[in-house]
Amino acid sequence: MDVRDDLPSPKRSFGFAQAGDIRNRRNTAVKDTVAAVRRIELEKGVNAATLEAIKAELLKLARHRELFPIKHFPVAPHEGNGVIYRLSEDPDHRFALYASTGVPGKGVHPHDHTTWAVIVGVHGDEHNVFYRRSDDGSRPGKGTLAKIGEATVSPGTGVTLMPDDIHSIFVTGTTNTVHLHMYGLALEQLHQRVMYDTRAGTYKVFPATQNIKPI
């Protein structure tokens, strides 16, 4: 037997090293990005200019699409129309960064976040419609909205949302999306988010998201 038969296949070894290398590089890039975001908020507070600066940092990260291959963020048939993967979260649940993946046709009714949010595209297109409350808020459970704008989040683009901003989303195209979502406070801690039914002119508080997966 040739002693070379005892050596691992270069192709197989390269494949495992490559996968591990992607994860290691992604973890490092995520750590550096979150550190930059912390500094920005500390120095500037929470305002529109701050969120634009945070978006710029996230867009730098998202440009490295090779660090976020779609196959690393699957949606199994039993998982519905999307999965949220946690990339980073501080011990106090602040500065939470996720990779959110959605299947074509996924939609979410108009809602707020109760914390600041920045969303940037890595793979695929997600159409956003933005709203403002058009009623006076005097009737509990009743709320009407007026459309004030729209934008599609695609690779190289992003949107920012202050805590009381309202938007809906819809995944267009024929491929899954993978987008980066960053929040001032982790999704599991957002217990007062509001979702609107535009046809009925109503709203309700919906439970904080709990089905977030590690990566």
Side-chain angles (χ1 to χ4, degrees):
M1 181 178 70
D2 191 319
V3 293
R4 289 175 298 179
D5 293 343
D6 292 332
L7 298 176
S9 162
K11 184 176 293 185
R12 289 200 303 271
S13 297
F14 176 76
F16 286 124
Q18 187 180 51
D21 182 57
I22 289 174
R23 289 179 172 84
N24 291 336
R25 289 168 54 209
R26 179 170 65 226
N27 290 341
T28 298
V30 164
K31 182 178 179 180
D32 291 345
T33 299
V34 173
V37 169
R38 287 195 203 96
R39 289 194 298 270
I40 291 168
E41 196 208 64
L42 177 64
E43 294 171 1
K44 298 178 178 291
V46 178
N47 52 59
T50 296
L51 298 191
E52 285 297 319
I54 291 173
K55 184 175 76 172
E57 292 296 330
L58 290 178
L59 285 170
K60 291 178 188 177
L61 177 61
R63 279 200 291 269
H64 295 282
R65 300 177 72 193
E66 75 281 2
L67 300 183
F68 302 93
I70 291 177
K71 65 182 180 181
H72 282 200
F73 306 94
V75 181
H78 68 277
E79 291 177 315
N81 59 11
V83 177
I84 299 173
Y85 290 88
R86 182 184 290 104
L87 297 174
S88 181
E89 180 182 328
D90 283 8
D92 61 358
H93 306 301
R94 297 220 56 221
F95 301 107
L97 178 62
Y98 307 96
S100 179
T101 183
V103 303
K106 172 188 176 181
V108 180
H109 291 292
H111 59 278
D112 62 15
H113 294 99
T114 69
T115 187
W116 62 258
V118 179
I119 302 167
V120 301
V122 182
H123 301 284
D125 301 325
E126 181 181 84
H127 191 67
N128 288 245
V129 178
F130 305 101
Y131 303 87
R132 62 170 176 80
R133 284 284 296 264
S134 57
D135 65 304
D136 61 8
S138 62
R139 296 181 297 165
K142 300 291 185 181
T144 57
L145 300 177
K147 177 180 171 181
I148 58 173
E150 54 189 305
T152 298
V153 175
S154 305
T157 68
V159 297
T160 65
L161 297 145
M162 291 290 283
D164 58 351
D165 285 343
I166 301 166
H167 77 145
S168 64
I169 61 172
F170 185 80
V171 175
T172 59
T174 58
T175 61
N176 284 8
T177 60
V178 177
H179 288 173
L180 301 181
H181 289 225
M182 187 156 202
Y183 299 91
L185 187 63
L187 288 171
E188 296 101 322
Q189 310 304 316
L190 305 181
H191 300 289
Q192 297 300 318
R193 297 175 69 187
V194 169
M195 183 172 288
Y196 294 85
D197 183 331
T198 55
R199 292 185 178 181
T202 59
Y203 70 85
K204 62 180 180 180
V205 174
F206 62 100
T209 303
Q210 301 296 324
N211 59 336
I212 297 172
K213 299 179 68 172
I215 183 66

